[in-house]
């Protein structure tokens, strides 16, 4: 079974995965979606860290460190960011983090990733605007996405025929024009939200 979900709050994501295990859905992997396999309902303890690695050797050392502490790495790659661990030693610690600073650090790294993506798209959007590939005024006035001369002065069947003919092209054109501004706004929003979780975990909010 596969499920699509989006989380910025790691605590809620962990709780959801643990609840799925209680319902008989064992979490085994995550790429674009969460993957589960049927299993006996059980109490599992899954925790999530957020880290990326440049070298595979560093990633393997990271996984081994947690396994030595009683936590098995069950999902995540060196570039995926989110790393999923399951407690396998019943005598081990109940958390993979030793203090609030290390636990909050995952939100700080997540926030940095989202903000970096937002900043990455800004120069692309500026170039598109300067080369007139994207008209920023169309964001406020979608009528500008229609290029048929005199379209809005037409009436009756003549208007609707022209309007419906161009509308599919407008959707494609509008998607391209709106894509970069929308992604920049979303990435900034995700980055700010993750930073709020960082501050909250540290007890500053």
């Amino acid at each position: 079974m596969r499920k699509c979900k989006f989380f910025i709050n790691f605590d809620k994501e962990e709780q959801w995965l643990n609840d799925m295990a209680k319902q008989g859905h064992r979490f085994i992997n995550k790429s674009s979606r969460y993957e589960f396999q049927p299993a006996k309902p059980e109490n599992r303890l899954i925790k999530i860290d957020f880290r990326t690695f440049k070298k595979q050797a560093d990633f393997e050392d990271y996984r081994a460190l947690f396994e030595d502490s009683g936590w098995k790495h069950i999902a995540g790659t060196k570039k995926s960011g989110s790393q999923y661990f399951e407690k396998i030693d019943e005598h081990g610690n109940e958390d993979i983090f030793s203090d609030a600073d290390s636990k909050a650090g995952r939100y700080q790294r997540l926030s940095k990733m989202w903000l970096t993506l937002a900043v990455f798209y800004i120069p692309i959007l500026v170039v598109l605007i300067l080369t007139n590939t994207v008209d920023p005024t169309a964001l406020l006035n979608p009528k500008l996405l229609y290029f048929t001369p005199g379209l809005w002065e037409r009436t009756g069947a003549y208007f609707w025929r022209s309007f419906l003919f161009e509308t599919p092209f407008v959707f494609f054109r509008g998607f391209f024009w709106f894509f970069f501004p929308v992604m920049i706004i979303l990435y900034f929003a995700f980055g700010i939200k993750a930073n709020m979780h960082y501050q909250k975990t540290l007890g500053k909010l």
Side-chain angles (χ1 to χ4, degrees):
M1 180 179 69
R2 297 184 178 183
K3 281 185 172 288
C4 291
K5 283 270 191 178
F6 178 75
F7 293 93
I8 294 180
N9 187 321
F10 291 118
D11 293 325
K12 290 184 178 180
E13 185 177 4
E14 292 168 352
Q15 185 61 53
W16 178 68
L17 292 172
N18 293 329
D19 288 343
M20 290 293 289
K22 293 177 182 178
Q23 298 170 27
H25 306 296
R26 185 181 183 89
F27 173 62
I28 57 173
N29 193 29
K30 182 193 175 186
S31 51
S32 59
R33 293 179 291 180
Y34 296 87
E35 298 180 22
F36 300 87
Q37 67 180 18
K40 180 180 178 181
E42 58 185 339
N43 289 319
R44 300 181 73 195
L45 184 57
I46 295 175
K47 293 293 181 178
I48 306 168
D49 191 15
F50 189 88
R51 291 181 186 272
T52 58
F53 300 85
K54 294 182 179 180
K55 298 179 180 180
Q56 184 67 26
D58 293 337
F59 178 54
E60 295 299 333
D61 289 343
Y62 166 79
R63 295 173 58 188
L65 178 65
F66 278 95
E67 190 152 348
D68 290 343
S69 301
W71 291 86
K72 179 182 177 182
H73 185 265
I74 55 176
T77 67
K78 69 175 185 176
K79 296 295 184 182
S80 66
S82 294
Q83 310 294 341
Y84 298 82
F85 295 89
E86 178 184 4
K87 185 180 178 182
I88 56 176
D89 183 356
E90 62 180 12
H91 301 296
N93 294 328
E94 292 297 304
D95 204 337
I96 58 175
F97 304 104
S98 58
D99 52 41
D101 286 343
S102 59
K103 188 171 186 176
R106 58 182 178 168
Y107 287 114
Q108 188 178 43
R109 292 186 289 272
L110 178 63
S111 177
K112 183 179 179 180
M113 181 201 74
W114 287 124
L115 295 177
T116 299
L117 287 172
V119 172
F120 173 80
Y121 277 110
I122 291 175
I124 299 176
L125 179 61
V126 171
V127 170
L128 292 175
I129 292 174
L130 293 178
T131 57
N132 294 320
T133 305
V134 169
D135 183 357
T137 58
L139 301 177
L140 301 176
N141 185 9
K143 286 184 178 181
L144 297 176
L145 294 170
Y146 288 83
F147 290 166
T148 302
L151 173 64
W152 304 107
E153 285 72 41
R154 300 177 184 182
T155 58
Y158 185 35
F159 164 77
W160 286 108
R161 185 166 58 251
S162 301
F163 176 79
L164 293 175
F165 174 79
E166 190 175 0
T167 294
F169 299 98
V170 168
F171 281 133
F172 178 78
R173 193 180 302 130
F175 172 80
F176 179 73
W177 287 14
F178 281 86
F179 176 79
F180 290 103
V182 169
M183 295 310 295
I184 290 171
I185 292 172
L186 284 177
Y187 287 152
F188 270 121
F190 294 156
I192 292 171
K193 185 68 173 179
N195 187 64
M196 290 175 64
H197 286 306
Y198 168 67
Q199 299 292 337
K200 184 177 181 180
T201 304
L202 288 178
K204 295 182 178 180
L205 286 180

